Amino acid sequence: MSKKKVSQNLLIVESPTKAKTLSSYLGVGWVVLATKGHIKDLPPKEFGIDIHNNFEPTYQWLAGKKKLVDVIKKEVRLSSCVYIASDPDREGEIIAKHLFDEFVPFKKDIYRLRLKEISKQELETQIKLKSNVSQNEVDSQVARRLVDRIFGYKLSPVLWKNLKLASLSAGRVQSTVLHWIQLREKEILNFVAETYYQLKLKGKVLGEHIEILHQKPRLDFEGIEKILNSLGYANVDSKIRIPLVSIKEKIILKNPSLPFTTASLQETASRVLGFDSKKTMRVAQSLFEGKPIFGESKGLITYMRTDSTRVSASRRNRAIEFLKQNHSNLISEQFRVQKVKNKIQDAHEAILPVDVFLSPEKIQNKLSLDEFKLYKLIWDRFLSSLLKPEEIKETVFTFSKNGEKFFWKHEEVLNFGYKDFPNPKNLTKNPRPNYAIGDEFELESIVKEEKETTCPERYTEAKLIKQMEEKGIGRPSTYSATIETLKKRKYIVEIKKKIASTNLGKKVDEFLDLNFNSLIQDEFTKGLEEKLDFISTGNVQKLAVVSEFYNFLDSVLKQKRANVQVESDSKLIQQVNLSKLKNESESSRTSANFKIRKEENLCPKCKEGVLRSKFTKAGKTLFFCSNYPHCDYITYENQKK
């Protein structure tokens, strides 16, 4: 009996939606299947790492995935070539590696496709490349997973024992982000509003009414009186004239924003559309995977997990072609490129529309309302980035008498530039007055404007993600997940888009800050992220990074238990601050020499209790005394203490 003839090609992706889109591009003889995400992971309730065998991980099947892969294997047997097109990042690379290992025994040709957009042209290009799984990318992802597992499994039991709660966990990135949130809470708690004044004079020059501002932005009443005396002001009948001594002009160019990265997309979608990061990525995923457009399934945006603002020449030229047909007068002659700061994922492009000729309005009825809003945001941002800057002429007039200077600024928009896209604005000339040196300001009235220093604002989810990108903490695929984990652990709470630490989050952060400060600092977390990234370039070995981190963390734990200073030549240790890991007095120790912070901020009323805080449903902070009801002290944020 002859064997069944092998004639088909097999394409494997993660998402069923993506599978449907790609299947529409392929002809007879192709089978497209989806894994629905990862197929294996470290065990959820075991360490899963063999420390004594080069930190070898033990992966196990995720629920239902072995049966799914067994079905895929049947198609592998019938295929001449197998193409694995999981997402073009390190998460996708480990999925490809796990599939590759399962398929090797079948002795088939297996290739890796990295689709940065879902389009027929991109698919055909990637198939021709016949790429292989990148072991460096796999090692980088595995190392990150191992480091995170070691961090959690080493530190979480310490939290359980000392804070007496078995449900607590510590995460490498999440602990740093929690520390930012708690530091902001401390700033709010300790904030004392300061009152100050701005001195403004109302009057006229050559018959035209203007308002001039004193050069010092913050003044007290005594300072204002000295200034007025210097000007010769005695009462409302005083005839004060202040000569114009300087006129300075400058041209200000306000450039359009660069195309979106993952972080800037999430930040802008939150601010403009009111989307949280989870919703933004869910909608972006649907735009990436493909929508039925004019009888054909099309991916509408490029891959949405990136920290790059780079645009390929071919994609830029396509956009210029569109702009020449519709907005030729707005096209910039220079193309700005953001400097890359050790961002390994700069191999990706920015988040861009796949085809700029598919304008949002043209396909609006093919998209849901949320999809349309996000697609328009991405489309507008990309095309705007290629346009001329807004041009403004700013003129600063300086009036001075007896050493006291006052300023008046005038702005004239010369060219709206990119702000004329997509619809032109009616340009208002607003030419500056024809004042000359020596013209005098005639005082009519005085304004003493009372102001207060403002309390620091809590982070929004968008601001946290923006800071994660700027600080180099976490990576595009983990920004949203990090915040979701903190919410799930009940370390933070979000009310009216403002994020505050809960009492549980405060206890966890203060314990980590006192005992493991070096592990949650920006410099340490960023430095480790960079080492993990460099594994993907082949410049650093996975084992070196993981073992160095493990040894460092182990030494810190032993130091705390033994209460002695540990010396090490590790480069990793030299990069962090160990000043807060010195010996502590016996009176401040808890189990195994770990410290718990004593309560601070005594109640200003009874002087016995301590101030406690609660984030209310109205989005405010309520401060109250721990001796309640014996002490009824209560106050809200932004009030003087």
Side-chain angles (χ1 to χ4, degrees):
M1 186 175 180
S2 62
K3 293 183 180 180
K4 187 173 181 178
K5 185 178 179 182
V6 175
S7 59
Q8 72 180 23
N9 291 313
L10 177 62
L11 176 63
I12 304 171
V13 296
E14 295 173 65
S15 157
T17 303
K18 193 192 299 184
K20 183 178 178 181
T21 301
L22 293 174
S23 181
S24 69
Y25 301 151
L26 300 167
V28 178
W30 281 88
V31 175
V32 185
L33 299 175
T35 64
K36 299 179 182 178
H38 284 269
I39 63 171
K40 294 181 179 181
D41 197 5
L42 295 174
K45 297 182 179 180
E46 299 174 21
F47 189 37
I49 303 172
D50 189 346
I51 299 298
H52 305 292
N53 184 25
N54 293 332
F55 298 91
E56 189 65 28
T58 300
Y59 288 100
Q60 69 177 36
W61 290 100
L62 294 173
K65 292 305 176 74
K66 189 175 188 309
K67 288 184 178 180
L68 178 59
V69 172
D70 284 342
V71 171
I72 295 175
K73 284 180 179 179
K74 292 179 181 179
E75 297 297 335
V76 173
R77 290 189 180 94
L78 301 176
S79 303
S80 55
C81 280
V82 178
Y83 298 90
I84 305 173
S86 45
D87 284 345
D89 58 14
R90 292 179 199 125
E91 293 292 325
E93 208 67 28
I94 194 64
I95 293 173
K97 173 61 174 172
H98 287 155
L99 289 170
F100 181 87
D101 290 345
E102 291 296 315
F103 301 157
V104 162
F106 298 105
K107 297 182 179 179
K108 303 287 184 175
D109 291 329
I110 306 173
Y111 302 106
R112 169 81 167 109
L113 307 186
R114 297 177 181 84
L115 302 175
K116 307 225 176 119
E117 64 181 60
I118 305 302
S119 65
K120 187 173 183 179
Q121 181 181 358
E122 174 75 355
L123 179 60
E124 291 173 349
T125 300
Q126 288 293 322
I127 288 174
K128 290 177 182 178
L129 287 177
K130 295 187 180 296
S131 300
N132 295 315
V133 173
S134 169
Q135 189 58 48
N136 287 339
E137 291 283 341
V138 170
D139 285 346
S140 178
Q141 196 280 339
V142 171
R144 179 172 271 101
R145 193 77 179 89
L146 295 181
V147 163
D148 288 343
R149 176 57 63 98
I150 291 168
F151 190 101
Y153 263 73
K154 283 284 188 179
L155 287 189
S156 295
V158 177
L159 290 175
W160 304 341
K161 292 177 183 177
N162 289 276
L163 299 184
K164 312 303 181 187
L165 285 171
S167 61
L168 301 180
S169 73
R172 180 177 61 87
V173 175
Q174 77 183 48
S175 295
T176 300
V177 175
L178 176 62
H179 191 54
W180 294 344
I181 297 169
Q182 181 56 23
L183 285 176
R184 183 59 55 87
E185 287 299 302
K186 291 177 182 177
E187 290 177 25
I188 294 171
L189 179 63
N190 296 320
F191 173 76
V192 178
E194 295 180 5
T195 301
Y196 65 95
Y197 297 87
Q198 286 187 338
L199 177 60
K200 297 179 180 179
L201 305 181
K202 290 186 176 182
K204 55 188 178 181
V205 179
L206 300 180
E208 180 178 355
H209 290 275
I210 64 171
E211 184 178 86
I212 59 178
L213 177 68
H214 191 267
Q215 64 178 338
K216 293 182 179 178
R218 293 189 181 188
L219 294 165
D220 54 23
F221 262 117
E222 183 180 345
I224 289 176
E225 290 303 314
K226 288 181 178 179
I227 293 168
L228 294 179
N229 288 336
S230 178
L231 294 176
Y233 180 83
N235 53 53
V236 291
D237 296 323
S238 301
K239 300 296 183 182
I240 305 298
R241 294 176 180 271
I242 308 174
L244 177 59
V245 298
S246 171
I247 301 174
K248 292 184 178 179
E249 287 185 350
K250 66 177 179 180
I251 301 298
I252 299 174
L253 298 178
K254 294 184 178 180
N255 288 309
S257 298
L258 291 166
F260 283 125
T261 63
T262 300
S264 61
L265 176 65
Q266 291 175 356
E267 192 272 333
T268 306
S270 173
R271 176 170 47 82
V272 176
L273 305 178
F275 292 2
D276 61 28
S277 61
K278 191 174 182 180
K279 180 176 181 177
T280 298
M281 296 312 289
R282 183 178 68 249
V283 176
Q285 183 83 32
S286 71
L287 293 174
F288 170 71
E289 291 180 344
K291 306 294 294 184
I293 306 292
F294 306 132
E296 181 184 3
S297 191
K298 291 176 177 288
L300 296 177
I301 64 171
T302 58
Y303 192 54
M304 62 285 168
R305 294 185 179 91
T306 176
D307 52 16
S308 173
T309 57
R310 189 174 61 82
V311 178
S312 67
S314 60
R315 207 176 297 278
R316 183 171 60 242
N317 291 338
R318 177 77 169 161
I320 295 297
E321 183 182 343
F322 173 86
L323 290 169
K324 283 181 178 178
Q325 294 179 19
N326 300 276
H327 306 276
S328 59
N329 61 313
L330 298 179
I331 301 172
S332 175
E333 296 178 359
Q334 297 180 336
F335 302 115
R336 294 176 300 126
V337 179
Q338 188 177 51
K339 291 183 178 179
V340 179
K341 299 178 180 178
N342 295 324
K343 293 184 178 181
I344 303 302
Q345 298 201 66
D346 190 64
H348 294 311
E349 288 187 80
I351 304 172
L352 309 167
V354 170
D355 183 0
V356 293
F357 281 85
L358 285 177
S359 65
E361 290 72 24
K362 187 179 290 187
I363 59 173
Q364 184 172 2
N365 63 345
K366 308 293 182 182
L367 307 175
S368 70
L369 181 59
D370 288 340
E371 289 170 340
F372 169 74
K373 288 179 178 179
L374 194 66
Y375 180 66
K376 180 171 173 53
L377 203 66
I378 294 167
W379 189 87
D380 285 350
R381 176 83 162 225
F382 172 44
L383 290 170
S384 294
S385 72
L386 301 173
L387 303 179
K388 294 176 180 177
E390 180 184 20
E391 188 176 351
I392 298 172
K393 182 167 72 172
E394 180 186 86
T395 307
V396 179
F397 299 89
T398 304
F399 298 84
S400 181
K401 183 176 182 180
N402 296 333
E404 301 296 342
K405 292 183 178 180
F406 293 82
F407 300 109
W408 181 60
K409 288 184 180 180
H410 178 275
E411 287 189 351
E412 179 183 358
V413 179
L414 302 178
N415 190 334
F416 275 113
Y418 72 95
K419 289 190 175 180
D420 262 341
F421 176 84
N423 300 310
K425 309 293 186 298
N426 293 321
L427 185 63
T428 302
K429 288 295 184 181
N430 189 30
R432 75 170 180 85
N434 191 26
Y435 299 158
I437 302 296
D439 289 341
E440 292 184 324
F441 171 86
E442 300 175 26
L443 176 65
E444 294 181 334
S445 62
I446 295 170
V447 178
K448 302 172 185 177
E449 190 170 328
E450 182 178 346
K451 292 181 175 289
E452 272 194 348
T453 53
T454 56
C455 181
E457 289 190 352
R458 287 187 171 89
Y459 289 105
T460 61
E461 187 176 286
K463 293 295 183 184
L464 271 179
I465 289 172
K466 184 178 181 180
Q467 181 154 316
M468 290 172 72
E469 183 185 55
E470 290 175 349
K471 297 278 189 179
I473 306 299
R475 286 300 176 257
S477 60
T478 65
Y479 295 150
S480 179
T482 297
I483 296 173
E484 287 300 313
T485 298
L486 289 171
K487 290 179 182 177
K488 183 180 178 182
R489 297 291 180 188
K490 293 181 169 50
Y491 291 170
I492 63 173
V493 62
E494 183 177 15
I495 299 177
K496 293 189 174 180
K497 296 189 177 181
K498 297 294 176 68
I499 294 176
S501 59
T502 61
N503 285 333
L504 179 60
K506 174 184 175 183
K507 288 179 181 178
V508 170
D509 175 70
E510 289 191 339
F511 181 80
L512 293 174
D513 187 28
L514 275 168
N515 298 282
F516 303 104
N517 176 270
S518 60
L519 299 178
I520 63 175
Q521 291 301 307
D522 296 357
E523 294 80 6
F524 173 80
T525 309
K526 178 183 178 181
L528 188 52
E529 289 281 11
E530 290 175 348
K531 285 176 178 287
L532 292 168
D533 280 345
F534 284 136
I535 294 172
S536 66
T537 67
N539 295 329
V540 180
Q541 295 300 308
K542 176 187 72 174
L543 180 59
V545 174
V546 177
S547 61
E548 183 180 42
F549 170 76
Y550 178 85
N551 292 334
F552 172 53
L553 181 58
D554 195 47
S555 70
V556 171
L557 286 166
K558 287 179 179 177
Q559 172 192 346
K560 294 303 297 182
R561 293 191 181 101
N563 205 29
V564 295
Q565 183 69 34
V566 175
E567 298 293 337
S568 174
D569 293 328
S570 167
K571 292 181 180 178
L572 198 60
I573 295 178
Q574 293 171 5
Q575 291 175 0
V576 299
N577 177 17
L578 292 175
S579 62
K580 291 196 176 183
L581 298 177
K582 294 181 179 179
N583 298 345
E584 303 295 332
S585 62
E586 291 291 337
S587 61
S588 66
R589 296 176 195 164
T590 59
S591 62
N593 293 319
F594 293 103
K595 300 176 292 175
I596 302 293
R597 189 185 298 278
K598 293 181 179 180
E599 293 282 4
E600 299 173 350
N601 295 310
L602 286 177
C603 171
K605 186 173 182 179
C606 70
K607 306 296 184 183
E608 293 180 357
V610 294
L611 286 185
R612 290 181 177 168
S613 63
K614 180 181 180 181
F615 196 29
T616 70
K617 291 182 179 180
K620 292 185 176 182
T621 302
L622 180 68
F623 299 108
F624 60 94
C625 179
S626 62
N627 278 343
Y628 179 85
H630 304 292
C631 175
D632 62 357
Y633 179 80
I634 187 170
T635 185
Y636 284 97
E637 60 184 339
N638 291 331
Q639 291 194 357
K640 295 180 182 179
K641 296 180 177 63

